[in-house]
Amino acid sequence: MSEPAVCPIHFDLLDPEQRRNPYPVLAQAREHEPVFFSETDGFWVVTRYDDVMRVLKDHETFSARDALRSSPVELPMEVENVLAEGWPEMPLIIDTDPPLHTRIRGLITRAFTPRRVAETEPWNTSIASELIDGFAVDGSCDLVERFAWPLPLRVMGRLLGLPTEDLGRLHTWSSDWLALHQRGSTLEQQLAWARSTVSLQAYFVDALEQREREGGDDLIAALLTAARELEPPLPLEALLGVPFDLLIAGHVTVTRAIGNAILLLLREPEAPALVGNDDLLAGAIEEILRLESPAQGLFRTTNREVDLGGATIPAGARVMVHYGSANRDDRVFEQAHRFDPRRPNASRHAAFGKGIHFCIGAPLARLELKVALPLLLERLPRLRLAGADAFAYEPIFFARGLSRLQVEWDA
Ligand code: HEM
């Protein structure tokens, strides 16, 4: 087993400069130390496309347990005690390995069918139009607050059959749950976030019980029907994790994709040509996901010692699989830093992962972007940034998204 090399690469994604632009340090890593150990974080980072693919496809060596936990330290006992009041054993599909993963994934694919996704298109469009109606005459707004958050949240809410008036608190609880998994917070914050986690779990237990009693035609009811057919049945906790996961994975990511897309398109002279040109729009969506991947990197834990990218990673080590870096690897994508909606191999990007954990919501995410982007470009003429300080990145370690995007247009 080799000792982790002292890292010459200054990798710190909570550093404000690297939040703004993480790409130079990742390019340096791909070139000089493609798999490196981050002393600050206590995990290895995999930066080249081929190595990222190898990790994602070898789920026997690289376990998905704690796929979202970026903090090197365990949660304090006080926080664990709060979580124990809820459903601490609730597995999330993203964190599980086969055979449990195979069972949960099978359940979701039975209920969350391509037809169900396709059926969202008309109301996806009407929700997006209605949101734009709410600010189009104003001539300026924060697009993250007024559009990028509410659109995917309302789409997921409607799919899951959740009342619109509940969406605000569901959004807060989801954000708190995500925040609980990264370093750099106080005990007080962690306790509050743990309470939000328990509230979110309790909310979905109620929703499942209500569908059990009254039936329904939404995704939660469909999940319950699919679960009844499973042999042996899934425990309640495993079922509970599914709407929990779908709500969170299904909205925060698309929010980030919309914000990143608009910021990127504002700098692209070709952006107006996307309206009415479905092929170009589809290519642009892949490029946006490739260049500004909303999930920059998630985690794996090694089940054995393994050689990768010139490094020897010990058993039991934490590994960050850097999709965002893989997507800018010039070995695979020619002039990878360039936005090219006609790039022939853009869809090889890793923004939705690969292998058994490949994003289940990818078709819905693409559909939401396909609906949202032309509508925004069409309805907000001469869309532009409002001032020098118009946008800011969220302080979420493994994600790339905007907390604010102040824009203006000719109203
Ligand atoms: C642009 C938007 C999205 C991005 C960038 C994204 C990204 C990802 C990535 C990278 C993974 C793989 C995680 C891993 O390798 O550990 C993943 C998995 C997953 N995504 Fe997405 N996602 C998006 C939208 C959605 C939507 C809309 C939904 C639900 C409706 C969703 C549900 C899921 C689920 C359930 C998994 C776990 C799959 C498994 O573990 O088998 N995602 N997503």
Side-chain angles (χ1 to χ4, degrees), residues 306-325:
V306 57
D307 291 329
L308 187 74
T312 301
I313 306 178
R318 301 278 294 151
V319 175
M320 183 184 199
V321 197
H322 213 298
Y323 317 110
S325 174

Side-chain angles (χ1 to χ4, degrees), residues 56 64 67 92-96 101 105 108 112 156 159 242 245-247 249-251 253-255 257 289 293-295 298-300 323 350-354 356-362 364-366 368-369:
L56 295 177
L92 293 177
I93 180 173
I94 209 158
D95 274 340
T96 55
H101 174 267
R105 180 120 186 163
I108 301 180
F112 190 35
M156 275 322 292
L159 253 173
V242 175
D245 214 358
L246 286 175
L247 175 77
H251 88 274
T253 47
V254 180
T255 297
L289 292 167
S293 306
L298 292 179
F299 297 87
R300 296 293 188 266
Y323 317 110
F352 290 123
K354 250 330 165 242
I356 62 168
H357 290 278
F358 182 81
C359 178
I360 275 183
L364 177 63
R366 288 186 167 114
E368 288 182 75
L369 290 167

Side-chain angles (χ1 to χ4, degrees), residues 66 69-77 79-80 180 190 318:
D66 286 339
R69 183 170 64 80
S70 61
S71 171
V73 289
E74 302 287 330
L75 290 170
M77 190 47 78
V79 177
E80 290 291 0
L180 189 59
Q190 290 181 340
R318 301 278 294 151

